């Protein structure tokens, strides 16, 4: 019966190796060590196998930051950090063998000096992803470059410098070989190179992934002699430019975004061509062989593009399969928007206070073949909003679109609100602070995915400055400006924000004003038309979206051309002509009186 301790168990190589060890009938326990943040993932991965003991460790701590087992048979160190500390532990635990992955020069000297314990060193060549599952192993920058070049015509020939040869193997092959060599009785203090039979030109690695992605191939390489000349000139030029700290930082930032950093090129150019005769002898009869990159490049690219590509969300259809969270979804604009986009394949998250209404809407959407989930929440309760964010992210990981639609409107003149500061506090609580709190809670996950869109439903009143709505318009103005600034800050990170400036819409919120007949002479937008504008904002993602009628853009234009006249008309028509209460003097008499006051004051 055999016990193992594996550091770096949360890496792809570590996980594959642990899987191989568990397949051995003599395996009784595997102590899988990883960073504290990764331990839960390991526990979930092997939850059904009691032989795996997932443990948190810190290689920067002298005692490795963990309470390690008193005895173990094999210690397998898959990191180049803290080699001396792990060797010391192995000797203390009475390990029969210590296995080290790619040690540095100083650590090799340390390992050669060990006596009384079998020491084996494994030196794999360039490891790419898992050939079976497609999970990448450090080639993300290259795959990002390929995905961007895939937007060019596939037949376009590309040229690059001669970057030399490299040797590549899939990480699952390296794990299988290490597992075999751990149990191979071939002698102590041996170094095992793990390589493919043949090296390949570096540009052929790109071509293998380009074929999988439909990107242009590299068909021409600049000869090495000419490459050296070009490299010398470019190095001199870069050296001159790099004298400026600003230009040096700028160059590195741009190359990193393009996936062409020096570290990436250096990794791909690693040429492990050590004599692997000792490894080939040890593998004889094992049945292990290296698959060619062309056999698994497509698998790696497919896994990366479907699960890891930071731009994958932005390449999906605008609504099909998108997760859209809508506040104020129980009625009015929110309800109609939810129904509309669910018909087009969006997965809608319904948020409002009234749980019963949300349940009915969810059932209605399901009855039409759509998908929706209800999240009852009082958005003016800060703790409830925080809990909502936590629950949504736990259920869905991230959302694609947030529609801040919930709102409260109060129609009251400023002079009548001098003792009603709570009017302003209540509207700001829902219209501004709730939306901001929800947005801030969801932004980090959008930033991590490099994709997200926020739609803030504001009002055309910000264009014509409608009297008697000071509390409402102030809250919507704050929300709109917050959204515009947020969108401009995060634009290059794939996050956009749209402000939809809706005119007066016939909903429950505007019913009190309609009862007073305050807007009897003005056209009102239907809720169906309003929801279509919100849908347009989700799909087209402009910074602002408004309509000419009724009078939104006209009012903005008039304010620029004739500001004094526009202000006077706003007072005479918008304020005096539309009273707070139906019994107040209104219409032509009130407007005439206002004109008389203004004229008299100018005399």
């Amino acid at each position: 019966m055999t016990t193992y301790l594996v550091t770096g168990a949360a890496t792809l190589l570590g996980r594959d190796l642990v899987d191989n060890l568990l397949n051995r009938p003599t395996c009784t326990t595997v102590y899988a060590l990883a960073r504290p943040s990764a331990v839960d993932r390991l526990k979930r991965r092997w939850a059904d196998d009691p032989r795996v003991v997932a443990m948190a460790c810190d290689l920067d701590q002298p005692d490795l930051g963990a309470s390690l087992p008193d005895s173990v048979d094999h210690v397998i160190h898959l990191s180049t950090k803290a080699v001396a500390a792990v060797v010391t532990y192995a000797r203390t635990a009475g390990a029969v063998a210590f296995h080290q992955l790619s040690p540095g020069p100083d650590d090799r000297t340390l390992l050669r000096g060990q006596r009384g314990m079998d020491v084996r060193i494994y030196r794999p060549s360039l490891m790419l992803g898992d050939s079976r599952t497609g999970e990448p192993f450090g080639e993300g920058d290259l795959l990002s470059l390929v995905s961007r070049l895939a937007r060019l015509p596939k037949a376009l020939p590309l040229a690059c410098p001669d970057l030399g040869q490299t040797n590549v193997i899939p990480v699952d092959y390296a794990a299988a070989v290490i597992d075999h060599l751990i149990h191979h009785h071939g002698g102590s203090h041996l170094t095992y190179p793990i390589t493919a039979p043949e090296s390949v030109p570096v540009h052929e690695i790109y071509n293998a992934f380009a074929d999988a992605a439909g990107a242009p191939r590299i068909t021409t390489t600049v000869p090495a002699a000419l490459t050296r000349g070009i490299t010398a000139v470019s190095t001199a030029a870069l050296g001159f430019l790099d004298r400026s700290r600003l230009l040096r930082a700028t160059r590195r930032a741009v190359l990193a975004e393009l996936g062409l950093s020096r570290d990436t090129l250096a990794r791909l150019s690693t040429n492990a061509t050590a004599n692997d005769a000792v490894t080939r002898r040890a593998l004889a009869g094992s049945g292990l062989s290296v698959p060619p990159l062309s056999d698994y490049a497509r698998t790696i690219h497919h896994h990366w593009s479907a699960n890891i590509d930071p731009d994958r969300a932005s390449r999906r259809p605008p609504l099909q399969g998108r997760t859209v969270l809508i506040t104020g979804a129980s009625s009015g604009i929110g309800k109609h928007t939810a129904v509309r986009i669910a018909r087009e394949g969006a997965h809608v998250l319904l948020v409002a206070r009234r749980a019963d209404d949300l349940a009915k809407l969810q059932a209605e959407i399901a009855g039409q073949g759509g998908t929706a989930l209800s999240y009852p929440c009082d958005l003016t309760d800060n703790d409830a909003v925080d809990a909502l964010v936590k629950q949504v992210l736990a259920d869905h990981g991230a959302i694609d679109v947030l529609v801040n639609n919930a709102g409260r409107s109060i129609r009251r003149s400023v002079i009548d609100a001098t003792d009603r500061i709570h009017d302003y506090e209540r509207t700001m609580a829902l219209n501004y602070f709730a939306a901001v709190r929800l947005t801030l809670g969801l932004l980090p996950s959008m930033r991590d995915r490099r994709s997200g869109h926020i739609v803030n439903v504001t009002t055309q009143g910000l264009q014509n400055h409608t009297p008697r709505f000071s509390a409402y318009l102030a809250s919507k103005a704050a929300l709109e400006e917050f959204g515009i600034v947020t969108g401009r800050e995060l634009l290059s990170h794939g996050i956009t924000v749209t402000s939809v400036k809706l005119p007066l819409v016939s909903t429950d919120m505007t019913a009190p004003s309609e009862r007073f007949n305050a807007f009897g002479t003005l056209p009102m937008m239907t809720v169906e038309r309003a929801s279509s504008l919100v849908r347009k904002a989700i799909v087209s993602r402009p910074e602002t979206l408004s309509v000419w009628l009724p009078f939104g853009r006209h009012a903005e234009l008039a304010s620029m051309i004739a500001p004094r006249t526009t202000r006077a008309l706003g007072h005479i028509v918008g304020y005096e002509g539309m009273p707070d209460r139906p019994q107040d003097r209104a219409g032509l008499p009130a407007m005439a009186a206002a004109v008389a006051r203004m004229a008299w004051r100018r005399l």
Side-chain angles (χ1 to χ4, degrees):
M1 298 296 102
T2 310
T3 58
Y4 307 86
L5 183 141
V6 181
T7 66
T11 65
L12 180 56
L13 175 62
R15 284 180 275 130
D16 281 352
L17 177 58
V18 171
D19 285 337
N20 279 280
L21 297 175
L22 293 173
N23 287 332
R24 292 188 169 269
T26 57
C27 174
T28 56
T29 306
V30 177
Y31 298 96
L33 273 61
R35 299 184 309 274
S37 60
V39 170
D40 286 343
R41 293 199 302 273
L42 296 185
K43 290 179 178 179
R44 289 193 298 271
R45 179 182 178 91
W46 292 296
D48 297 331
D49 196 327
R51 294 176 298 168
V52 178
V53 180
M55 304 178 66
C57 76
D58 185 350
L59 296 179
D60 293 325
Q61 298 297 323
D63 60 352
L64 304 181
S67 179
L68 301 177
D70 294 333
S71 64
V72 70
D73 296 318
H74 292 271
V75 175
I76 306 160
H77 191 36
L78 300 181
S79 172
T80 56
K81 295 175 60 176
V83 174
V86 180
V87 168
T88 299
Y89 162 73
R91 301 194 71 89
T92 303
V96 298
F98 180 82
H99 309 269
Q100 175 64 48
L101 182 74
S102 301
D106 293 339
D107 292 326
R108 286 201 299 272
T109 301
L110 169 70
L111 294 173
R112 281 196 296 266
Q114 299 300 311
R115 296 294 180 266
M117 181 174 64
D118 187 2
V119 175
R120 302 185 183 190
I121 294 173
Y122 309 105
R123 300 190 62 83
S125 60
L126 175 61
M127 290 185 287
L128 299 180
D130 192 306
S131 65
R132 304 159 303 172
T133 66
E135 184 175 350
F137 189 66
E139 58 267 34
D141 286 346
L142 175 61
L143 292 170
S144 293
L145 175 65
V146 170
S147 71
R148 284 161 175 78
L149 293 178
R151 300 170 188 176
L152 299 174
K154 184 178 180 179
L156 179 69
L158 299 181
C160 79
D162 184 352
L163 300 174
Q165 301 274 318
T166 193
N167 194 285
V168 296
I169 57 174
V171 69
D172 54 298
Y173 171 76
V177 169
I178 292 173
D179 168 61
H180 178 83
L181 296 175
I182 286 172
H183 303 92
H184 176 69
H185 302 290
S188 180
H189 291 74
L190 294 177
T191 296
Y192 292 97
I194 305 174
T195 65
E198 301 290 338
S199 294
V200 296
V202 170
H203 72 270
E204 286 302 329
I205 300 177
Y206 164 84
N207 281 342
F209 289 114
D211 290 341
R217 290 174 55 87
I218 295 174
T219 58
T220 303
T221 57
V222 179
L226 185 55
T227 298
R228 286 192 292 270
I230 296 174
T231 300
V233 173
S234 61
T235 300
L238 289 175
F240 177 78
L241 293 175
D242 281 355
R243 294 178 183 177
S244 167
R245 182 179 301 176
L246 177 61
L247 292 177
R248 181 170 64 250
T250 301
R251 174 180 61 80
R252 291 176 177 174
V254 171
L255 290 178
E257 287 294 326
L258 297 177
L260 293 174
S261 66
R262 285 185 175 179
D263 290 342
T264 300
L265 294 177
R267 180 174 183 270
L268 292 177
S269 299
T270 300
N271 191 6
T273 57
N275 186 346
D276 65 345
V278 63
T279 307
R280 284 187 278 111
R281 286 195 299 269
L283 293 180
S286 67
L288 296 174
S289 61
V290 185
L293 177 57
S294 58
D295 285 358
Y296 60 90
R298 190 174 302 277
T299 304
I300 293 176
H301 178 266
H302 176 74
H303 183 283
W304 178 84
S305 62
N307 301 284
I308 301 174
D309 180 6
D311 296 321
R312 65 189 183 280
S314 62
R315 291 201 297 268
R316 298 207 310 267
L319 286 173
Q320 182 69 39
R322 299 273 183 176
T323 301
V324 182
L325 189 152
I326 303 177
T327 66
S330 59
S331 63
I333 299 168
K335 176 180 178 180
H336 282 74
T337 301
V339 172
R340 180 183 291 268
I341 65 173
R343 289 196 198 108
E344 298 185 51
H347 179 54
V348 187
L349 309 184
L350 309 170
V351 176
R353 288 179 303 162
R354 302 191 293 271
D356 291 344
D357 291 343
L358 290 182
K360 293 177 182 177
L361 178 57
Q362 181 178 339
E364 178 184 343
I365 290 174
Q368 297 177 2
T371 57
L373 290 175
S374 299
Y375 290 87
C377 179
D378 180 359
L379 294 174
T380 61
D381 182 338
N382 291 341
D383 292 337
V385 175
D386 292 341
L388 171 66
V389 170
K390 185 176 181 179
Q391 188 62 55
V392 166
L393 294 180
D395 292 347
H396 307 281
I399 66 167
D400 297 298
V401 181
L402 166 64
V403 180
N404 286 315
N405 168 73
R408 170 183 286 122
S409 177
I410 296 178
R411 184 176 184 272
R412 182 173 287 114
S413 64
V414 174
I415 198 64
D416 288 339
T418 53
D419 59 347
R420 297 179 61 88
I421 187 63
H422 58 275
D423 284 355
Y424 296 86
E425 294 171 339
R426 289 166 59 202
T427 51
M428 288 294 289
L430 180 59
N431 297 0
Y432 178 65
F433 286 114
V436 168
R437 194 177 193 90
L438 184 56
T439 301
L440 295 177
L442 296 173
L443 272 179
S445 61
M446 291 183 175
R447 170 69 182 266
D448 290 343
R449 300 171 75 226
R450 293 173 60 174
S451 177
H453 185 51
I454 300 163
V455 176
N456 293 324
V457 178
T458 62
T459 172
Q460 199 177 80
L462 300 178
Q463 297 170 296
N464 52 39
H465 312 293
T466 314
R468 302 187 191 276
F469 285 95
S470 59
Y472 177 68
L473 295 185
S475 65
K476 289 297 187 180
L479 178 61
E480 177 166 283
E481 195 60 30
F482 167 77
I484 290 174
V485 171
T486 300
R488 294 189 180 186
E489 288 181 357
L490 298 175
L491 183 62
S492 68
H493 300 282
I495 299 173
T496 50
V497 183
T498 298
S499 174
V500 184
K501 298 181 178 181
L502 295 178
L504 197 65
V505 180
S506 183
T507 64
D508 293 342
M509 191 172 72
T510 62
S513 296
E514 292 184 73
R515 284 197 299 271
F516 291 151
N517 198 28
F519 303 99
T521 60
L522 293 180
M524 298 184 69
M525 180 175 282
T526 65
V527 70
E528 291 81 10
R529 169 63 175 151
S531 67
S532 73
L533 289 176
V534 175
R535 179 206 172 276
K536 182 178 180 180
I538 294 173
V539 173
S540 58
R541 302 189 172 198
E543 187 171 65
T544 59
L545 181 62
S546 61
V547 294
W548 282 100
L549 293 174
F551 313 122
R553 294 178 182 172
H554 295 93
E556 282 187 314
L557 185 60
S559 294
M560 291 187 290
I561 296 175
R564 292 187 177 182
T565 301
T566 304
R567 180 176 61 176
L569 288 174
H571 169 72
I572 295 168
V573 178
Y575 180 70
E576 294 291 353
M578 299 179 184
D580 275 333
R581 296 167 291 274
Q583 66 269 23
D584 291 347
R585 181 177 62 179
L588 185 58
M591 291 189 288
V595 171
R597 282 195 303 272
M598 295 170 67
W600 184 253
R601 288 177 61 86
R602 294 181 65 86
L603 292 178

